[in-house]
């Protein structure tokens, strides 16, 4: 459900909105947000966790609906994560501007996993990209061949730096949260984080100070619109 309601919560809606924003926007744990909010309101980290679980997914879906269509160059990459002693893989797809298109936590790094990511991408985006940039992992070629788009694959050296760099926020959050507790919680958090990241992501080295200010204002306006109660 995408209906956002703050009824039956003792804290004002603005407090909940800011707490959720702080957790997903910055590399802050629930205890960090608890300390940051203590000056204005005393809220426990457990309450913050419940707010994030209840409202994070709804807000993320509303943010995704307002995003523009990605460009025709997609970058795919995977990185391992350790969860409860198991080595899993985070599969990520971004466009040439760094927009996170989708993210999947999967137990394997094979053709089946690559195929699952690609099918979900094509279904969600509704278009086939002109170019799909990957590394030389054979699973990508096998999956793309099965989908009939192998000729669009580009594995040239250095071209997939965009996808590889997109894993940096994940590593920052993984360290701050002292690793993820389960595959489900990792998938849930990363999906919400990606939606929030897309709204506030900006290429600062290509942007003037004035344009940066305008962009930040627009990003906050988008966030506020997504957190308005139904």
């Amino acid at each position: 459900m995408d209906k956002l309601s703050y009824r039956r919560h003792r804290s004002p809606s603005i407090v909940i909105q800011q707490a959720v924003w702080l957790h997903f926007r910055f590399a802050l744990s629930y205890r960090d947000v608890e300390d940051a909010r203590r000056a204005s309101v005393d809220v426990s980290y457990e309450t913050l966790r419940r707010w994030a679980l209840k409202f994070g997914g709804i807000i993320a879906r509303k943010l995704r609906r307002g995003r523009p269509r990605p460009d025709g160059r997609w970058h795919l990459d995977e990185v391992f994560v350790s969860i409860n002693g198991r080595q899993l893989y985070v599969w990520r797809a971004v466009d040439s501007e760094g927009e996170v298109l989708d993210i999947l936590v999967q137990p394997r790094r094979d053709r089946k996993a690559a195929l699952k990511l690609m099918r979900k991408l094509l279904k969600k985006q509704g278009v086939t990209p002109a170019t799909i940039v990957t590394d030389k992992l054979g699973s990508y070629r096998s999956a793309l061949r099965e989908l009939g788009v192998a000729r669009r694959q580009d594995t040239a050296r250095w071209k997939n730096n965009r996808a590889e760099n997109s894993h940096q926020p994940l590593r920052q959050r993984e360290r701050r949260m002292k690793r993820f507790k389960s595959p489900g919680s990792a998938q849930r958090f990363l999906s919400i984080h990606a939606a929030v990241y897309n709204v506030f992501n900006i290429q600062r080295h290509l942007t003037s100070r004035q344009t940066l200010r305008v962009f930040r204002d627009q990003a906050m306006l988008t966030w506020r619109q997504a957190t308005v109660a139904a």
Side-chain angles (χ1 to χ4, degrees):
M1 294 180 62
D2 289 341
K3 290 185 177 180
L4 197 62
S5 175
Y6 301 101
R7 293 180 58 189
R8 301 185 180 183
H9 286 271
R10 290 181 296 177
S11 299
S13 60
I14 187 63
V15 172
I16 299 175
Q17 293 164 3
Q18 290 180 349
V20 175
W21 176 70
L22 285 171
H23 176 62
F24 289 108
R25 173 67 180 90
F26 303 102
L28 298 176
S29 66
Y30 295 125
R31 293 187 184 276
D32 291 333
V33 177
E34 177 186 10
D35 291 339
R37 299 297 304 166
R38 193 175 295 277
S40 56
V41 59
D42 189 10
V43 180
S44 71
Y45 74 92
E46 178 61 23
T47 298
L48 295 170
R49 186 186 70 84
R50 295 187 179 187
W51 288 350
L53 291 176
K54 179 177 180 179
F55 298 108
I58 301 175
I59 294 172
R61 286 191 290 273
K62 295 176 71 173
L63 290 174
R64 291 191 197 100
R65 284 201 295 265
R67 300 303 297 170
R69 177 170 290 185
D71 60 27
R73 188 179 185 86
W74 296 358
H75 298 251
L76 278 58
D77 194 47
E78 76 291 334
V79 65
F80 80 90
V81 291
S82 179
I83 302 178
N84 285 336
R86 294 177 58 199
Q87 180 169 298
L88 303 178
Y89 296 91
V90 174
W91 293 72
R92 184 190 305 266
V94 301
D95 69 5
S96 61
E97 298 298 325
E99 182 95 357
V100 181
L101 307 178
D102 212 336
I103 187 166
L104 276 178
V105 179
Q106 303 193 78
R108 298 187 182 278
R109 191 170 171 251
D110 54 11
R111 180 193 62 84
K112 185 177 179 180
L115 192 60
K116 183 177 180 179
L117 174 67
M118 280 302 306
R119 282 176 171 165
K120 186 179 180 184
L121 273 172
L122 294 172
K123 181 179 180 180
K124 178 183 290 187
Q125 302 301 330
V127 295
T128 302
T131 306
I132 302 174
V133 183
T134 72
D135 55 25
K136 297 184 183 298
L137 181 68
S139 301
Y140 290 116
R141 179 164 295 278
S142 299
L144 296 175
R145 187 185 301 116
E146 183 168 335
L147 293 172
V149 294
R151 59 185 177 83
R152 304 183 185 219
Q153 185 182 21
D154 186 353
T155 59
R157 191 178 185 185
W158 310 123
K159 285 194 175 181
N160 210 28
N161 287 350
R162 171 67 69 184
E164 292 173 358
N165 291 338
S166 72
H167 293 303
Q168 293 178 3
L170 179 151
R171 291 306 190 195
Q172 293 173 354
R173 298 310 296 259
E174 184 183 25
R175 289 193 297 269
R176 196 62 187 170
M177 299 169 70
K178 295 182 175 60
R179 297 189 176 183
F180 300 109
K181 303 303 184 289
S182 69
S185 65
Q187 178 68 61
R188 182 171 52 249
F189 172 82
L190 293 174
S191 296
I192 299 172
H193 178 267
V196 178
Y197 175 82
N198 286 341
V199 173
F200 293 94
N201 181 34
I202 185 172
Q203 307 297 320
R204 297 192 180 190
H205 62 292
L206 301 176
T207 307
S208 66
R209 182 65 181 176
Q210 182 177 1
T211 304
L212 177 63
R213 189 180 301 113
V214 173
F215 177 88
R216 284 173 170 169
D217 291 342
Q218 292 176 342
M220 285 305 303
L221 177 60
T222 300
W223 171 264
R224 293 191 186 101
Q225 290 173 341
T227 57
V228 172

